[in-house]
Amino acid sequence: MIRTQVSLTHEQMAALKREARMRGVSIAAIVRKAVDAELQGNDREARIRQAIDVMGKYSSGRSDIGENHDLFLDPDYEP
C-alpha cells in the first residue's frame, strides 16, 4: 500500500470516526472504499458489470415477484 496524507475538516473526521466505530473497521478502510466507489462511479461499464454481478444472488423464495410486486411493497409505499 502507498501512504498518503489528506486534509479533512473537523466535521469530516468526526463523521469518519463515528462510521468506522459503527462498522468496526479502520478509517483507512472507509476512505479506500470511498475512493474506489468514486473512481468506479465514473466508469459506466463497471457500474453495469457490478449490477449484473448482483443479479440473481438474492432469492425471495417466491416465483411470482415479477407479476405481483405491488403486493409485496411496504404498505406505506405510494408511487
Side-chain angles (χ1 to χ4, degrees), residues 8-66:
L8 302 171
T9 66
H10 290 287
E11 293 81 11
Q12 289 171 323
M13 181 53 84
L16 273 172
K17 286 180 180 180
R18 280 192 306 273
E19 190 68 22
R21 246 189 334 270
M22 187 177 71
R23 293 186 194 184
V25 299
S26 68
I27 291 172
I30 294 174
V31 171
R32 283 191 298 268
K33 188 170 184 174
V35 168
D36 287 343
E38 177 63 24
L39 295 176
Q40 186 177 22
N42 294 329
D43 183 358
R44 183 175 186 274
E45 292 300 318
R47 289 193 322 260
I48 292 170
R49 282 192 305 274
Q50 185 178 26
I52 291 171
D53 288 345
V54 172
M55 289 177 8
K57 289 191 176 183
Y58 170 78
S59 174
S60 66
R62 301 189 64 105
S63 61
D64 60 343
I65 296 293

